[in-house]
Amino acid sequence: MDTSFVWDDGFVTGLELVDAQHHALVDLFNELSQALFSSATSSEALLADVYGRLLAYTEYHFREEEEMMRHCGLDPRHIESHCALHHQFVEQVRMLWTQRRSMADAGTTLVDFLTSWLGLHILGIDQSMARQIASVRAGLSAQEAFERERQAHDHGIQTLLKMISKLYSALSVQNAQLAAANQHLEERVAQRTHELELANERLRTLSRTDALLGVANRAHFNEWLEQTCALARRAGRPVGLVMIDVDYFKRYNDHYGHQQGDACLQAVAGAVAGCVRRGTDLVARYGGEELAVVLPETDAAGAQALAWQMVQAVRALNLPHADSPAGPCVTISAGVCSQVPRPAPGGASGSAALIARADAALYEAKHQGRNRCVVAPVLEEEGAVL
C-alpha cells in the first residue's frame, strides 16, 4: 500500500539532526500505517512492536530537540510552548492507542492524527525554531529572534497556523475528556456487572437455602442427593445418608410456643451442621422438624459415627424440654444408611432407595425410645460395603 506520509522539501528545517530524526519518524509512521491495515494473523503482535518503537523514538526525538533549543539559548517563551506541544502529542497518542478498540475506524483515525500532527508541527513551530536558531547564530539575541519571528513572516500564514494549533489543542482536550468519560463508564459498567454477579449469587444461595434454619432446603437436598448418587453409582462408591427428627417436637411447640420452637430448630440445625467437616457433605431441612445429611463416599461405620456425634451435640445444647418422655432436654433421633446406589427403573440414580432405608432406620430409632441413632441393616448382596 502507499505510504501515509510523503516527504518533500517543504518539511526540511535545515537542521541536520532534526531533519534526520523527522525522516525516521515518518518511516515509523508509515510502518505503523501498514501494520494497522495489514490482514496478517500476527498483526496484533506487529502493531504492538511498531507502536512501542514509534513512541520510544518520538520521546527520544523530543528530548533531543528540547535539549538543542536550550543549548542554543532560544527564548523561553518558544521553548515552553514547543515543549507543551510535545507533551500534548505523547498524551494524545497514548490515549488514542488505548481507546483504539472502541473506535469505528481506529486505523484511519490514528494514522490521520499522526501524519496531520507531524506535518503541522514541522511546518509551524519546528520551522520557526530553525529560523530562530539561525538568527541567534547570526548574532541576534534570543528575544530579538523570537520577536522577529513573530513579525517578519506572512501574517496570514502565521494566523492560520495558530488557529489550526488552537483547534488541535481544543480537540485534544475534548478527546482526553471523552477518553476519561469512557474509562469511567467502563469502570462503572465493570462495577455494576460485578454487583449484578454478586446479587445473582446471593439469589442462587437464597433459592437453595432454608430461610429459617440457614441450611440447604428440600429442593437443593433433592438435587444434591441425586447428583451424588449418580456419581457414586458410576464410581462404585458408597453414599451415606442420615435422616434426623427432633424428638417430640410437637409437644415442644405446644408447651413453649412456636417462636421458641423456631429458635429450638435453629439451635438443633446449628449443632448438626457443626459436626460436618467436608465441603462435599450437605445438611438440609427435609421438612418440618426433620433434617437430612448427605455424606458422599462414606461407609456405614463412618455415617454412624457422625450421626452419633450429632445426637450428642444436640443433647449438649441442654435445651429444656419439660414435656419429652425421651429426657429433660431436647434430643434427636437419627436413621443411618450407607450403600452404593443401585440403578432404579427409568434410569433413576437410586436416591429413593437410600432415603427409604434411612427413613426406616429413623423409624426404628424412634421405636427403640428415641435420643439415639440406628443403622439400617446390611443388604445381603452388598455385604461388607455397607
Side-chain angles (χ1 to χ4, degrees):
M1 61 179 294
D2 294 336
T3 55
S4 300
F5 194 117
V6 179
W7 184 271
D8 62 41
D9 291 342
F11 296 114
V12 174
T13 65
L15 300 170
E16 185 176 348
L17 177 63
V18 171
D19 289 335
Q21 291 180 359
H22 284 169
H23 266 293
L25 275 177
V26 168
D27 291 341
L28 283 168
F29 281 10
N30 291 334
E31 186 179 350
L32 180 63
S33 174
Q34 291 172 345
L36 282 166
F37 295 102
S38 171
S39 59
T41 55
S42 61
S43 58
E44 270 304 315
L46 179 63
L47 271 175
D49 173 69
V50 179
Y51 168 75
R53 288 189 286 115
L54 170 61
L55 189 61
Y57 190 82
T58 298
E59 292 177 321
Y60 161 75
H61 164 63
F62 287 166
R63 287 194 301 270
E64 290 279 296
E65 198 170 78
E66 290 164 10
E67 178 59 30
M68 181 184 66
M69 288 188 288
R70 295 187 184 96
H71 179 74
C72 292
L74 294 191
D75 191 284
R77 290 171 291 179
H78 176 86
I79 295 176
E80 181 180 357
S81 61
H82 205 142
C83 291
L85 288 174
H86 286 171
H87 176 75
Q88 193 178 55
F89 173 78
V90 171
E91 291 301 309
Q92 188 77 352
V93 169
R94 284 176 173 158
M95 184 273 295
L96 288 173
W97 183 260
T98 301
Q99 299 292 321
R100 73 187 190 283
R101 287 185 174 84
S102 62
M103 298 177 184
D105 190 358
T108 300
T109 300
L110 192 55
V111 169
D112 284 353
F113 169 76
L114 291 173
T115 55
S116 298
W117 186 91
L118 183 59
L120 174 63
H121 192 73
I122 295 175
L123 293 175
I125 202 163
D126 276 354
Q127 294 284 11
S128 175
M129 171 192 69
R131 289 190 292 268
Q132 290 180 65
I133 289 175
S135 296
V136 169
R137 287 173 176 172
L140 292 182
S141 69
Q143 182 178 357
E144 290 171 336
F146 182 79
E147 295 298 335
R148 178 180 179 180
E149 178 64 22
R150 290 205 302 184
Q151 298 170 5
H153 292 84
D154 182 79
H155 180 71
I157 293 177
Q158 292 299 318
T159 300
L160 178 61
L161 287 174
K162 287 181 181 179
M163 293 300 293
I164 294 175
S165 294
K166 287 182 179 180
L167 177 61
Y168 161 76
S169 297
L171 290 175
S172 295
V173 171
Q174 185 182 47
N175 285 339
Q177 292 173 342
L178 288 173
N182 186 53
Q183 180 65 30
H184 180 65
L185 179 60
E186 290 177 355
E187 291 172 355
R188 291 288 300 275
V189 169
Q191 179 184 354
R192 291 292 183 264
T193 301
H194 179 64
E195 291 172 353
L196 182 60
E197 289 173 350
L198 291 177
N200 287 334
E201 182 57 33
R202 286 194 293 268
L203 286 174
R204 284 191 292 270
T205 300
L206 288 173
S207 70
R208 299 191 299 257
T209 304
D210 182 82
L212 176 64
L213 303 188
V215 297
N217 58 24
R218 176 66 177 272
H220 187 39
F221 164 79
N222 291 338
E223 180 183 355
W224 189 267
L225 182 62
E226 194 73 20
Q227 292 175 356
T228 301
C229 286
L231 292 172
R233 189 181 68 196
R234 288 195 291 269
R237 305 292 294 171
V239 176
L241 179 64
V242 181
M243 300 296 290
I244 297 170
D245 190 65
V246 180
D247 295 329
Y248 300 108
F249 183 71
K250 184 179 184 304
R251 293 189 182 189
Y252 187 95
N253 256 345
D254 292 342
H255 186 84
Y256 295 99
H258 289 283
Q259 187 172 0
Q260 191 63 31
D262 288 346
C264 171
L265 288 178
Q266 289 170 338
V268 169
V272 169
C275 297
V276 171
R277 297 289 182 265
R278 301 182 305 178
T280 54
D281 298 338
L282 181 77
V283 178
R285 188 179 190 181
Y286 192 72
E289 68 274 18
E290 286 187 283
L291 300 173
V293 184
V294 183
L295 305 169
E297 298 197 20
T298 305
D299 60 16
Q304 181 183 21
L306 189 59
W308 178 239
Q309 289 179 31
M310 294 171 180
V311 171
Q312 291 178 308
V314 172
R315 189 187 300 158
L317 292 172
N318 288 319
L319 297 175
H321 191 341
D323 199 21
S324 172
C329 61
V330 172
T331 59
I332 60 173
S333 298
V336 181
C337 175
S338 176
Q339 68 182 55
V340 176
R342 294 171 295 175
S349 67
S351 61
L354 196 66
I355 293 173
R357 295 189 64 213
D359 253 338
L362 174 60
Y363 178 81
E364 181 61 25
K366 292 180 181 180
H367 181 69
Q368 292 180 16
R370 307 182 192 245
N371 189 20
R372 70 193 66 217
C373 66
V374 170
V375 183
V378 176
L379 297 178
E380 290 184 7
E381 64 268 28
E382 295 185 332
V385 172
L386 303 183

